[in-house]
Each structure stands twice: as structure tokens, then as C-alpha cells.
Amino acid sequence: MKNLKIFESNICDGPMSGNRSFYDASLSKEEIQKDLLQRRLILGAKHGFYGKRIIVPYQKNAKCPELYANGHYEVITDEVVKGTEDLWSLDIPADIFVLPHTTENVVMAYPVADCPVLIAEDVKNSVTALAHCGAEYIDRELPVDLVKSLQQETNAKIEDIFVYMSSCACSKDYIYDTYPKWATNKRVWNNYIQHEYDGYHINIRGSILSMLNKYNLKGTQFKLNPQDTISNPLLYSNSAAFHGDSTKNGRFLVGCFYQEQENQYTYSKK
């Protein structure tokens, strides 16, 4: 039986993105991609996968809202990745990737700085869904779409779905000077954006948990990484970089894959 393994990289692994702003200006595009590949290979060796087998969703944003319907998911099968040497080069537009345990040697992941990645597994059928849940995506209730993708794909029962939430910015440190423009869904942010003396505190974790609780997921079905990206010196953070800490300028990788052996993030099959 294969089990799900979840991992997070950190600053020691280097930026897990080819974005030029994370590199010395003297490096060419080819040199950046070469460096990134080397880091992916090293990261894979550390966690038990091949660094060329990482596939990342090409997620839309406010600049391209018509790219696909909100909550669109793609199932990553052997056929989808067949013939591609380095899966990092695949651009598959989707909010959500769904990975069955039968797909061989594929790692789903997303590079992030302050926003969480959610990983939901249907433990009965050993099928997993992954989504990057930045604030604008939380606003349109992507966490619920993530769970729905498993229900639609495997007919999963809600009690068989378990959710992992990665490291992200905590409300103590995640502060906006003004009320954020992306917060348009009052149902999502009520009580989770608090105006205090130093600004508007954004409680990403609380909003997601509340949303999924209302969708009938219980507390025992969640695994949360409590690390705060802003204050943790080993994690990249957009907010910290914006406020002057250049060491936090980058992206760490959150991902998952199926392997034969158990690990600390494995959920027991019933």
C-alpha cells in the first residue's frame, strides 16, 4: 500500500522558483534554470523523490480570470506526464491538481511565501488534491473547491477526507495598513480580518478552518503546520521581504507524493 508523504522546503534549500527577482542580476535565464534544477534534484534526494518529477499547477490570478472556471481541477495521470522529461516545464492551467496513488513517480507541489498550500487526501481511495490558497483564492472559497474535487473525482465521503495546511503567515504578523481590496467575500472574512491599533490583521488559517468546518470537516481531519512564514528565519516571506528583510525574498516548495513507506504526515487508512 502506498502512503502519502508531504514535505516543505526552506531557505536552506534555496528559492524554489525561477523568478528573476530572487537571483543575482548577472545571471542569465539559462543559469537560473540550471541552478533551480540542481536545487530540485538535491531537495528530491533529501525527501525521497526525483527532482525532475515535480509538477506545479499553472494557476490563474486576477489578471487572467477567464483562463478557466473557478475551482477547475486536473487529474494527473500517467498519460498526462508521459513523454515529459522534466515535469516542471509543464504548464497545465488549473486551481487544483488531483493525484491518484496509481500515477507513478509524480510529485505535486507549489512554490509559496506567505500563503498556504492545502493538501486534501481521500484516504479510502488514496487520491490526493493540492491547491495554492492565497488570499484572493480563499476569497472565492477555493478550499471548499479542493474538497469538492475529491468528492467529484472519487465520490469520497466527507469523513474520509483529511486536510494538511502548510506553513503560512500568522495573523499576529500578517498586517495590512488598509482593509485589503481582495477581501470581497464577507462570509469568508467575517471575524478573520481584525482592525487593531497597528492595522488590519489577516487570519488566513482561521478563515480556512471556519470555511471547511462549515463544510462538515471536523478538527480531527486537519493537520496544520504551525510555522509562521513572517517570523520564522528559515521560511521565505513576501511580507517580511516587503518590509526590508532581503533574506526572506524567495519561495519555498510545499508538495506531496505517494511512496511505499510510512512517514510522519501519513494518514491511517481505515
Side-chain angles (χ1 to χ4, degrees):
M1 177 68 72
K2 290 184 178 180
N3 291 296
L4 183 69
K5 181 173 181 179
I6 297 174
F7 67 91
E8 297 190 17
S9 72
N10 59 45
I11 286 178
C12 296
D13 301 304
M16 291 293 157
S17 166
N19 189 313
R20 175 169 292 281
S21 66
F22 304 145
Y23 298 87
D24 189 288
S26 65
L27 293 178
S28 68
K29 181 179 179 180
E30 291 73 22
E31 289 172 324
I32 289 172
Q33 291 304 318
K34 184 178 180 180
D35 285 351
L36 176 58
L37 172 58
Q38 186 63 24
R39 285 193 296 280
R40 286 190 279 128
L41 292 172
I42 293 171
L43 181 70
K46 180 191 299 187
H47 292 285
F49 61 84
Y50 183 40
K52 286 189 174 184
R53 302 300 292 176
I54 303 171
I55 189 168
V56 176
Y58 178 55
Q59 191 177 29
K60 70 177 183 178
N61 56 33
K63 296 180 180 179
C64 52
E66 304 302 323
L67 185 61
Y68 52 76
N70 288 351
H72 174 70
Y73 71 87
E74 291 283 348
V75 181
I76 307 304
T77 63
D78 290 328
E79 190 63 27
V80 169
V81 300
K82 184 179 180 180
T84 304
E85 180 185 2
D86 189 346
L87 302 187
W88 194 271
S89 65
L90 285 177
D91 286 331
I92 302 177
D95 272 334
I96 301 161
F97 274 176
V98 175
L99 181 69
H101 75 279
T102 52
T103 302
E104 294 292 332
N105 302 317
V106 170
V107 179
M108 298 190 300
Y110 205 94
V112 289
D114 286 322
C115 301
V117 170
L118 294 190
I119 298 171
E121 185 185 18
D122 169 3
V123 297
K124 186 174 182 180
N125 294 295
S126 293
V127 177
T128 297
L130 174 146
H132 160 241
C133 292
E136 68 177 273
Y137 306 109
I138 298 169
D139 190 73
R140 59 177 171 84
E141 304 186 39
L142 180 55
V144 172
D145 287 332
L146 178 74
V147 174
K148 286 181 177 179
S149 71
L150 291 177
Q151 292 178 305
Q152 292 169 13
E153 191 60 31
T154 70
N155 200 28
K157 295 180 180 179
I158 199 71
E159 61 265 27
D160 291 328
I161 296 175
F162 289 78
V163 177
Y164 173 87
M165 190 188 307
S166 73
S167 305
C168 63
C170 294
S171 60
K172 175 180 178 294
D173 301 304
Y174 196 25
I175 306 169
Y176 274 55
D177 292 335
T178 60
Y179 194 86
K181 293 180 179 180
W182 42 255
T184 63
N185 189 337
K186 292 182 179 180
R187 180 173 62 252
V188 167
W189 298 111
N190 186 34
N191 297 323
Y192 298 106
I193 297 181
Q194 296 287 343
H195 188 203
E196 300 183 18
Y197 73 95
D198 53 352
Y200 291 85
H201 289 246
I202 316 299
N203 187 349
I204 291 177
R205 285 196 183 101
S207 177
I208 292 174
L209 291 175
S210 174
M211 191 184 308
L212 293 179
N213 284 155
K214 291 175 182 175
Y215 200 67
N216 295 322
L217 273 83
K218 299 179 174 62
T220 54
Q221 292 172 262
F222 295 99
K223 172 79 174 183
L224 308 182
N225 189 322
Q227 298 300 321
D228 174 22
T229 52
I230 297 174
S231 62
N232 190 322
L234 290 178
L235 294 174
Y236 291 112
S237 165
N238 283 334
S239 178
F242 177 80
H243 287 95
D245 187 349
S246 61
T247 67
K248 305 276 275 180
N249 186 37
R251 297 288 186 272
F252 64 95
L253 197 67
V254 180
C256 64
F257 61 99
Y258 280 100
Q259 65 172 22
E260 299 296 336
Q261 64 186 25
E262 293 188 2
N263 62 88
Q264 62 177 326
Y265 294 127
T266 297
Y267 295 114
S268 299
K269 310 293 189 291
K270 294 183 179 179

